[in-house]
Amino acid sequence: MTQTEPQRPKIKRHVVSDLDGTQQGGLVFCIMVLVGIIAASVAHPLALTSFWVWFAMLSMAVSVAVGVQQLFRRVEETDEE
């Protein structure tokens, strides 16, 4: 009797295009986090110890990054037409 290896399920990976704005959104997220850290530390040196400052800063960075990603996606969609 021969032993066969169990078949592994194939993993479907998400296809990321250069045209969907993911790279630009990620870059803008990093930039906005750095800008937020600098602005918070200039406004008040102990501001970075507050949960709410971090929450607001990360929320701002996510919303700006998603906006930039959607902007790039729309620009590429209109260029294809």
Side-chain angles (χ1 to χ4, degrees), residues 13-76:
R13 300 191 189 278
H14 176 68
V15 178
V16 178
S17 169
D18 290 338
L19 307 177
D20 67 356
T22 303
Q23 293 174 345
Q24 293 85 357
L27 178 63
V28 168
F29 175 79
C30 294
I31 291 170
M32 290 305 296
V33 168
L34 290 174
V35 167
I37 290 172
I38 292 168
S41 64
V42 167
H44 193 278
L46 295 178
L48 294 176
T49 61
S50 171
F51 166 79
W52 294 109
V53 170
W54 280 98
F55 180 77
M57 187 170 49
L58 291 175
S59 298
M60 174 195 63
V62 166
S63 63
V64 172
V66 168
V68 167
Q69 182 180 5
Q70 290 177 354
L71 178 67
F72 270 87
R73 186 178 301 150
R74 286 186 190 141
V75 167
E76 290 301 326

